[in-house]
């Protein structure tokens, strides 16, 4: 039913709560539901610029109004001294927690859903690549390491030959892996 006193029409349209209704700002606001006639009356009586001087109205209507203000600074503790009320909710994926990034690195698959085997992970460590690297990053890193460790690029020095062999094996493993297909 419409929230206006004495109106028997269905309240189909949402309107903000009346001033002084005791809304504290924690949680969703308690909207009023009005019929079409009363929501039209509410909207026609609403004036954003009510009480503003002509200069304040001009400043509020500029295209970049509000963008030059600084945002509030976040405290260094991340709110640990006073956690937000939503911290009481269960977070089964720990997406809000500080350990989220570390957990993502330990997942059994990449962010795009492609699986990584244990050999794939070892090959990524050998090539010093992140779990979310793509095929282009793989090829680029492989080229860099081959140039670094190949004897022809090191004046015939064969001391890096074992490392070069591990790099080649790692590249072959990842090149054929479904995660880089």
């Amino acid at each position: 039913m419409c929230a206006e006193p004495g109106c028997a029409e269905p309240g189909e349209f949402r309107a903000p709560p009346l001033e002084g209704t005791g809304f504290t700002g924690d949680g969703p606001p308690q909207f009023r539901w009005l019929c079409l006639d009363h929501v039209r009356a509410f909207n026609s009586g609403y004036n954003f610029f009510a009480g503003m001087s002509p200069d304040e109205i001009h400043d509020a209507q500029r295209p970049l109004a509000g963008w030059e203000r600084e945002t509030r600074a976040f405290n260094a503790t991340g709110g640990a001294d006073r956690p937000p009320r939503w911290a009481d909710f269960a977070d089964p994926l720990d997406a809000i927690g500080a350990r989220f990034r570390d957990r993502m690195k330990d997942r059994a698959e990449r962010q795009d859903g492609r699986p990584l085997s244990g050999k794939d992970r070892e090959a990524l460590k050998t090539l010093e690549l992140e779990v979310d690297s793509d095929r282009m990053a793989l090829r680029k890193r492989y080229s860099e390491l081959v140039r670094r460790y190949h004897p022809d690029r090191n004046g015939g020095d064969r001391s890096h030959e074992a490392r070069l062999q591990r790099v080649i094996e790692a590249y072959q493993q990842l090149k054929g892996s479904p995660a880089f297909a």
Side-chain angles (χ1 to χ4, degrees):
M1 299 304 289
C2 182
E4 280 294 315
C7 183
E9 295 292 318
E12 302 178 78
F13 302 96
R14 196 168 65 173
L18 291 172
E19 295 290 327
T21 57
F23 177 66
T24 62
D26 185 31
Q30 300 299 316
F31 290 105
R32 295 182 296 151
W33 293 93
L34 302 175
C35 66
L36 182 60
D37 292 334
H38 286 116
V39 82
R40 282 182 177 161
F42 172 80
N43 287 340
S44 66
Y46 180 77
N47 184 1
F48 177 80
F49 301 108
M52 289 186 171
S53 70
D55 290 333
E56 291 173 327
I57 292 172
H58 179 266
D59 288 342
Q61 289 179 332
R62 289 182 305 115
L64 300 177
W67 288 100
E68 64 276 354
R69 288 190 308 243
E70 289 187 33
T71 58
R72 68 178 179 89
F74 291 98
N75 62 2
T77 62
D81 54 336
R82 194 182 70 185
R85 293 192 188 267
W86 45 259
D88 296 335
F89 291 100
D91 185 13
L93 298 177
D94 197 25
I96 299 172
R99 295 168 290 173
F100 179 68
R101 185 177 301 259
D102 295 335
R103 282 189 162 187
M104 287 301 293
K105 288 181 182 178
D106 294 337
R107 283 182 46 179
E109 61 185 30
R110 294 165 25 128
Q111 283 184 338
D112 57 6
R114 295 179 178 172
L116 281 176
S117 67
K119 288 183 179 181
D120 291 344
R121 290 184 179 284
E122 290 299 319
L124 284 171
K125 285 182 185 177
T126 301
L127 294 176
E128 300 167 3
L129 286 173
E130 295 293 323
V131 174
D132 59 348
S133 300
D134 61 357
R135 195 167 180 85
M136 181 185 286
L138 171 67
R139 186 163 177 78
K140 183 178 177 181
R141 185 67 180 154
Y142 172 70
S143 297
E144 290 171 3
L145 292 176
V146 166
R147 280 192 296 259
R148 183 186 305 167
Y149 297 126
H150 199 280
D152 291 346
R153 300 285 289 215
N154 291 317
D157 182 14
R158 300 177 73 99
S159 63
H160 301 291
E161 200 168 290
R163 174 78 171 131
L164 175 65
Q165 187 62 33
R166 287 196 309 271
V167 166
I168 293 171
E169 289 172 2
Y171 176 72
Q172 294 298 327
Q173 168 69 30
L174 292 174
K175 186 174 78 168
S177 171
F180 290 92

